[in-house]
Amino acid sequence: MDIKPIIWIAVMVLMVVLEGVSAQLVSIWFVAGALVASIVSFFVPSFPIQLVVFVGVSLFLLAVTRPFVKKLKASTKVEPTNADRYIGKTAVVIEDIDEVTGGGQVKVGGSVWSAKSESGVSIRKDSKVTVKGIKGVKLIVEPQV
């Protein structure tokens, strides 16, 4: 029994796993290339020819479908949330912002948020800060001067 079809099937499975882990449409073209190469391996015993088929099919599919995939991915825009309204606003520190412990809270617009200093400095309670951004569930703040 020839081992070449098994090699191509293993390459195909590896690419499927890689695609599943990354979810970035990085290796889907190589899955198809490996599938075609495995089929060719039953009829053409030459491994270099199988390799050329694998690379050729993969590159062809990449060239043909990549613009469509790029367009599709570009159409999925990030929707701003209502939390974006806090950026640029003044907030009051209600719990010391300490970069060592990771603690700290601010109150802005009637809402209490966990906060982190943009520059990494500690900021004391009752200080006024400016909201510079949002990272996850924390506001990124900087002391006002």
Side-chain angles (χ1 to χ4, degrees), residues 20-120:
V21 170
S22 70
Q24 294 291 321
L25 293 176
V26 189
S27 60
I28 193 74
W29 300 278
F30 300 110
V31 171
L35 176 64
V36 173
S38 69
I39 293 169
V40 167
S41 71
F42 287 108
F43 305 105
V44 180
S46 171
F47 188 75
I49 291 175
Q50 296 169 22
L51 188 60
V52 168
V53 168
F54 168 72
V55 171
V57 168
S58 299
L59 290 177
F60 173 77
L61 290 175
L62 177 65
V64 170
T65 60
R66 186 71 176 158
F68 171 73
V69 171
K70 259 184 149 176
K71 184 178 178 183
L72 185 67
K73 286 176 80 176
S75 68
T76 56
K77 296 179 182 172
V78 175
E79 288 293 323
T81 64
N82 61 357
D84 294 335
R85 69 177 178 231
Y86 296 127
I87 297 174
K89 301 284 184 185
T90 297
V92 176
V93 178
I94 59 172
E95 178 186 309
D96 288 350
I97 298 172
D98 184 359
E99 296 303 307
V100 175
T101 64
Q105 289 186 329
V106 297
K107 187 169 188 176
V108 58
S111 298
V112 175
W113 283 76
S114 295
K116 180 178 180 176
S117 171
E118 182 177 50
S119 61

